[in-house]
Amino acid sequence: MTAITPDTIQWNDLGFSYIDTGKSFRAYFKDGQWSEGQIESSKYISISEASPVFHYGQSCFEGLKAYRTQNGDIQLFRPDKNADRMIDSAERLLMEPYPKEAFIEAVHKIVKENAEWVPPYESGATLYIRPFLIGVGDIVGVKPAEEYIFSIFVTPVGPYFKGGLQPANFLISDYDRAAPNGTGAAKVGGNYAAGNLAGKLAKEQGYADAIFLDPATKTKIEEVGSANFFAITADNRFITPKSPSILPSITKYSLIDIARERLGMEAIETDVYLKELASFSEAGAMGTAAVITPIGSIVHGEHRYVFGNGQDVGSVTQRLYNELVGIQFGDVAAPEGWIQKVELG
Ligand code: PLP
Ligand code: COI
């Protein structure tokens, strides 16, 4: 098979899968300090078989995107928030955090190095940026690593859920992705391993993905396996679950601001009870990969909750999408500090 290159790639056919761009960022923590990060050309990382990442799950990651604007510039959406969240995730697993300013600088550097892989404006694609941190070294007993690798790869992507802004159907799972006082609020590998079975069962039955309930009472919506959840109430409020066991989504906090400041709506984080589902006029999944994916219906056991007519994007969801995506691609003025331009010179 011939390798895909920026010259041969079909930007508007991309799904959400990995393409090796040939340039990754790596930094190494050893003897109590981080090395200066560098660009490496291999997608392979050679580490000890005794590394805690393999056995004891010391792994956390981030996801953000680089966007090509109409005038050809490349910009990032709130990378400082990803840096902060990765520090929180690392601290939850007793890992050595990668410093915030170094994280932001590394994201700019890796995007600049891979600039030709940032898809064209209006191709429907973006450059997904995946920073991750792993515990490495020779450890056998259950304890944190003393050595770490911080790495970033990038890969051009299209929509995470097939159809993009087409309403998708979700299935509520009986499984939990996180425990009430566990690691649900951290972006750690184990949460995704725990959610894989629920996602597989949902997809096998034709759903886009699983939705998880709160693990303590199983009466409230938590989140999708790969995105947060929102709903528009009959009295036109934007509501989204408040829970210590869901990921604090950067898209979620951005949409709360957009709903309040630009759409003049009340927007709140609150308990979202299963029994309220039937009363919502619109619902959606939101995240970096999911962007805003409207939810056409949610199935829970014998019940099927349909939002709107289940086929078309609701009007509030559409307006939220236009603002968010407009800001990300530079077509709509951004709130102060939300956009960072990548200097290519
Ligand atoms: N929830 C989960 C479980 C996720 O994996 C993601 C993706 O990052 C999100 C929510 C959305 O978070 P963000 O908007 O920061 O991408
Ligand atoms: C993201 O939206 O960045 C995610 O991490 C979701 C998924 C690909 C795990």
Side-chain angles (χ1 to χ4, degrees):
M1 209 180 97
T2 49
I4 298 170
T5 70
D7 293 329
T8 60
I9 196 167
Q10 297 291 315
W11 300 111
N12 47 13
D13 273 353
L14 290 175
F16 200 87
S17 47
Y18 176 80
I19 294 168
D20 180 7
T21 69
K23 283 182 192 164
S24 301
F25 178 92
R26 305 235 164 86
Y28 300 85
F29 184 84
K30 203 172 174 178
D31 300 327
Q33 60 182 28
W34 282 105
S35 69
E36 191 164 338
Q38 64 205 34
I39 301 296
E40 295 186 10
S41 59
S42 175
K43 64 180 176 179
Y44 297 105
I45 300 177
S46 177
I47 57 175
S48 167
E49 62 188 358
S51 292
V53 64
F54 290 142
H55 311 277
Y56 305 132
Q58 268 198 313
S59 118
C60 63
F61 67 97
E62 273 305 323
L64 66 162
K65 285 173 170 171
Y67 304 84
R68 179 82 66 182
T69 66
Q70 188 165 16
N71 68 8
D73 286 346
I74 298 174
Q75 58 184 35
L76 304 167
F77 183 71
R78 312 188 81 177
D80 50 315
K81 299 290 173 200
N82 296 93
D84 287 338
R85 188 170 64 189
M86 196 176 203
I87 291 170
D88 292 344
S89 299
E91 286 175 348
R92 180 64 181 81
L93 296 191
L94 294 183
M95 300 170 74
E96 180 65 31
Y98 195 64
K100 178 170 180 174
E101 291 313 317
F103 177 106
I104 296 169
E105 205 180 297
V107 169
H108 280 262
K109 187 176 175 68
I110 197 63
V111 172
K112 181 179 169 188
E113 290 287 336
N114 285 286
E116 59 185 355
W117 288 99
V118 181
Y121 176 72
E122 281 192 333
S123 61
T126 50
L127 189 74
Y128 185 71
I129 305 163
R130 171 54 62 86
F132 62 96
L133 176 69
I134 54 175
V136 300
D138 299 339
I139 300 276
V140 185
V142 179
K143 61 176 181 178
E146 288 162 12
E147 297 175 14
Y148 293 89
I149 298 176
F150 171 76
S151 184
I152 312 179
F153 71 77
V154 297
T155 194
V157 296
Y160 188 73
F161 290 114
K162 249 201 341 257
L165 199 56
Q166 283 298 315
N169 303 313
F170 289 80
L171 177 68
I172 292 182
S173 177
D174 292 333
Y175 289 102
D176 299 323
R177 74 179 268 285
N181 295 309
T183 55
K187 200 161 172 63
V188 304
N191 294 341
Y192 297 83
N196 270 341
L197 178 57
K200 174 172 181 267
L201 293 173
K203 285 169 201 160
E204 275 173 3
Q205 293 172 67
Y207 298 96
D209 208 343
I211 289 181
F212 296 96
L213 297 180
D214 73 292
T217 71
K218 305 291 240 186
T219 58
K220 295 176 264 184
I221 303 287
E222 286 259 295
E223 63 175 325
V224 179
S226 51
N228 273 186
F229 174 85
F230 72 88
I232 308 300
T233 61
D235 59 355
N236 205 40
R237 287 177 305 137
F238 175 99
I239 66 168
T240 183
K242 185 173 181 61
S243 161
S245 47
I246 63 173
L247 195 75
S249 154
I250 295 160
T251 314
K252 182 248 300 276
Y253 290 118
S254 306
L255 286 176
I256 288 176
D257 284 358
I258 289 171
R260 283 182 189 150
E261 306 298 327
R262 306 245 168 136
L263 273 59
M265 297 171 69
E266 190 182 332
I268 51 167
E269 291 175 275
T270 182
D271 288 332
V272 178
Y273 287 94
L274 256 180
K275 60 176 194 248
E276 295 175 280
L277 279 180
S279 70
F280 297 143
S281 57
E282 299 177 33
M286 54 187 166
T288 299
V291 192
I292 293 181
T293 300
I295 299 183
S297 69
I298 296 178
V299 168
H300 179 230
E302 303 292 293
H303 302 278
R304 181 160 185 264
Y305 304 93
V306 179
F307 305 99
N309 65 9
Q311 308 288 330
D312 298 314
V313 187
S315 62
V316 178
T317 303
Q318 182 72 60
R319 286 166 64 207
L320 289 168
Y321 179 92
N322 292 350
E323 283 291 323
L324 175 72
V325 174
I327 291 169
Q328 290 171 332
F329 283 96
D331 297 327
V332 170
E336 174 88 35
W338 281 21
I339 292 294
Q340 290 186 16
K341 183 175 167 187
V342 176
E343 296 301 338
L344 299 176

